[in-house]
Amino acid sequence: MSIVVVGSIGYDTVETQFGRVDEALGGSASFFSVAARFFSPVSMVAVVGKDFRDEHLKFFAERAIDIRGLVQREGETFRWHGRYHEDMNQRDTLHLALNVFADFMPELLPDQCRADFLFLANISPQLQQRVLSQMKSPKVVAADTMDHWINTERTALLKMLPRVDILTLNDQEARLLAQEHNLVRAGRAILKMGPDTVLVKRGEYGVLQFSQESMFAVPAYPLEEVVDPTGAGDTFAGGFMGYIARHGKITESVLRTAVVYGSVMGSFVVERFSLDRLADLSWEEIDARYRAFIELTDSHHSRWISQ
Ligand code: AMP
C-alpha cells in the first residue's frame, strides 16, 4: 500500500572526518522515499527550485517513486551545510538556506489525500497539521519533529500529537518535549500527549520503542566505519514505515519487525556519503543484514542451543 511523505528535498554539503561532499541530493523526503521504496510504493509532496537537477528527478523516477507532488518553483532549492564532530552523534549546522522551502504550502493531489499511510517528516507542526487536514481517513500517521519546533511551536505540536499514531524523535528531543531527563519516563510522558507509539532514536545506541503495552529496544547495527550519519533518522523511518505499509496494518509483531528493518536501512545509509549507499543497495543485501541483525541479538540462537 502506498505511503505519502511530506518533507524537505535539498542539496547538502557535508563534512565528516572521512571527507566532504558538496551539493549532494538530500532532505528528509529524499532519504525516506528511497528507503521506503524497497518495501512499498511511495508518493512525495515536496518543493524544489528551478536549479533542481534533472538527474535527480530521474533518480527518483528510476526507483518508481511518485514525484507528481514534487513542485518546482521559481527560486533556489533548499540547502544545508553540516559538519560532524569526531563523535558522530554531534554536528553543527554551518549554513542553512530555506530558499523555496521557506514558503512551502503542501497541497496533496486527490489520490494522495486518500492514502492509507502518511509520513510527516520534519517540517513545522503547523504544516504537518495542514497536511493532516487534507487527508481523508489514513490508517497510520507517523510524524517526525526536531528541537527547533519543540522550542518555537510547542503549542501547535501538542495540538497535532493526538492525531499522530507514531512519533519519531531523537533522545535529546524526547527529553526536551517531555521536560524529563530519564528516557523511559520521557517516552511514557510523550505517549500521554497522544501518539500510540513513540520511537526514540539514539544514534549509535539504537532505538527505543514505547507503546501503551510494552517497551522494545534494538541496538544500532555495529559498523566498523560510519562515514556520514546524515539522513539516518529519515532512512530509519523509511524502512520502518515501508515495512508497516507492506503489511497493511499495525500489530505489536509488525511494529517490532518494522523497527528492525528501519535499523537495517539506517545502518546502510551511514556507510557512505549522502544517498550513495542506498542508490546501489540490493534487496539481497537488506535481507542478509536483517538476518545478521537478528543473529546479533538472539541469545537462544539454535546454533548455540544445539551445542
Ligand atoms: P537527519 O540527519 O535525519 O537529521 O536529516 C538530515 C537531512 O535533513 C539533510 O539531508 C538536510 O537537507 C535536511 N535538513 C536539515 N535541516 C533541515 C530543516 N531545518 N528542515 C528540513 N530539512 C532539513
Side-chain angles (χ1 to χ4, degrees), residues 8 12 26-28 31 78 80 84 91 96 101 122 146 229-234:
S8 60
D12 291 344
S28 53
F31 286 102
F78 171 78
W80 176 75
Y84 287 85
R91 75 179 179 203
L96 180 75
F101 192 56
N122 174 23
M146 70 184 289
T230 307
D234 303 307

Side-chain angles (χ1 to χ4, degrees), residues 17 68 73 77 82 93 111 124 136 140 155 212 232 236 253-254 259:
Q17 56 189 301
R68 288 171 305 135
R73 293 227 185 287
T77 301
T93 291
D111 58 293
S124 92
K136 299 277 184 249
V140 180
T155 310
Q212 299 298 345
F236 166 84
S253 137
V254 167
V259 170

Side-chain angles (χ1 to χ4, degrees), residues 29 52 85 128 156 160 169 173 197 253 289:
F52 195 68
H85 296 203
Q128 291 179 325
M160 201 222 23
L169 71 187
E173 292 155 357
T197 304
S253 137
R289 188 160 293 176

Side-chain angles (χ1 to χ4, degrees), residues 68-87:
R68 288 171 305 135
L70 205 175
V71 180
Q72 203 157 9
R73 293 227 185 287
E74 223 35 79
E76 290 198 355
T77 301
F78 171 78
R79 293 222 171 21
W80 176 75
H81 182 173
R83 184 186 290 149
Y84 287 85
H85 296 203
E86 206 170 317
D87 167 6

